[in-house]
Amino acid sequence: MAEAGYAAGKVALITGSSRGIGRTLALALAAQGGSVVVNYKRNQELAAEVVGLVEEAGGKGIAVAADIEDPEQIASLFDAAREEFGRLDYFVSNAAASSFKSISELGVHNLDRSYAMNVRAFVLGAQQAVELMDEGGRIVVLSSYGSIRAYPTYANLGAAKAAVEAWVRYMALEWAPLGINVNAVNGGLIDSDSLAYFYGVEGMPSMERDVLPKVPKARPGTVEEVASCVEFLLEPRSEYVTGQTLVVDGGLSIVSPPFFEDATGPLRLPGRSSGDAASAASDG
């Protein structure tokens, strides 16, 4: 049984929390005494496993199936939280999906689904969450570095994430009088199923050979590292932080050509070669 932590007596709803960052965060909150609404789309078995681990960690949990592309199912998800717990303290909009195609190949359905999944679901979810936050609360949405940088096949999702970060600022302003903080966590190359899927797109360069050598930390991040930053934004320590986007990318978004990695002689950073970066990724 976990000792009482900062989340003791608190209730969190995390979309897409049957795996990855959402799962890791759910378990972290449970270890701090929190209750968690575990949202999933299809894999009931995996969601039930997370609920079991939440309870083992000392928290309470329920699993709720909801496709957040559907506004009615978003409403049902929050109705389930209301019925079980009566209120909410944390809403983490984690679930995301899109099509990875060149702009000229995007169809209307690609645009509509990306908007529904990444932007509309966040806004509707936040509206529902605020109604349940009777003692103030925290809202955090997961973004990505495609919101501030451009690279192949990511336009549809990157533009949606940029919109989400703008919504964060407007929400933070409007809901501050209610004691609700709203922030985003912008992740870089994070070692997850999503990253593997993205770099599996035909024609994509090799992450290990071509991309990681350009990252100052020379490795992908972990889901635990991102979840820890989300956790910070839920903790009392971050009370004065709202309307912000916290970037968690190992320095990826601060670099630009000419790259140190391509320099020679005295300009090359010590110990930084493509081989070193690949080794750091496998060891990290």
Side-chain angles (χ1 to χ4, degrees), residues 91-116:
F91 169 49
V92 180
S93 183
N94 169 67
S98 190
S99 50
F100 299 125
K101 298 181 178 182
S102 298
I103 295 173
S104 59
E105 296 175 342
L106 292 171
V108 172
H109 67 290
N110 299 131
L111 299 172
D112 288 348
R113 292 196 66 188
S114 189
Y115 170 76

Side-chain angles (χ1 to χ4, degrees), residues 230-247:
V230 175
E231 218 183 336
F232 166 70
L233 292 171
L234 302 179
E235 293 177 12
R237 292 184 298 169
S238 64
E239 165 58 29
Y240 207 55
V241 181
T242 194
Q244 305 303 309
T245 297
L246 175 58
V247 179

Side-chain angles (χ1 to χ4, degrees), residues 145 151 189 194-202 204-207 211:
Y145 81 105
Y151 45 91
L189 299 171
S194 298
L195 184 67
Y197 179 81
F198 177 73
Y199 276 93
V201 173
E202 184 179 358
M204 198 62 63
S206 165
M207 181 176 63
V211 180

Side-chain angles (χ1 to χ4, degrees), residues 15-24 38-39 46 50 94 193-194:
T15 63
S17 44
S18 63
R19 60 182 183 175
I21 295 168
R23 174 192 177 108
T24 301
V38 177
N39 163 244
L46 202 57
V50 176
N94 169 67
D193 293 342
S194 298

Side-chain angles (χ1 to χ4, degrees), residues 6-167:
Y6 74 86
K10 305 291 187 180
V11 182
L13 189 155
I14 308 170
T15 63
S17 44
S18 63
R19 60 182 183 175
I21 295 168
R23 174 192 177 108
T24 301
L25 180 62
L27 299 185
L29 290 173
Q32 292 289 327
S35 300
V36 186
V37 179
V38 177
N39 163 244
Y40 69 100
K41 183 176 180 180
R42 295 193 184 92
N43 197 325
Q44 182 179 8
E45 183 177 344
L46 202 57
E49 178 183 303
V50 176
V51 169
L53 292 172
V54 162
E55 293 175 347
E56 285 180 20
K60 297 179 181 179
I62 60 170
V64 182
D67 180 354
I68 63 170
E69 284 187 54
D70 184 344
E72 291 185 1
Q73 292 193 44
I74 293 173
S76 296
L77 171 62
F78 283 87
D79 284 343
R82 181 184 289 104
E83 182 176 343
E84 182 69 23
F85 298 110
R87 53 185 305 283
L88 203 62
D89 298 281
Y90 311 134
F91 169 49
V92 180
S93 183
N94 169 67
S98 190
S99 50
F100 299 125
K101 298 181 178 182
S102 298
I103 295 173
S104 59
E105 296 175 342
L106 292 171
V108 172
H109 67 290
N110 299 131
L111 299 172
D112 288 348
R113 292 196 66 188
S114 189
Y115 170 76
M117 181 75 181
N118 301 287
V119 184
R120 188 177 69 190
F122 170 52
V123 177
L124 294 180
Q127 289 175 331
Q128 296 271 347
V130 168
E131 292 182 5
L132 291 173
M133 291 179 173
D134 56 347
E135 299 178 5
R138 306 293 175 88
I139 296 173
V140 180
V141 61
L142 275 295
S143 186
S144 76
Y145 81 105
S147 68
I148 53 176
R149 296 290 185 268
Y151 45 91
T153 77
Y154 209 79
N156 201 16
L157 184 53
K161 293 299 189 182
V164 160
E165 291 180 14
W167 276 103

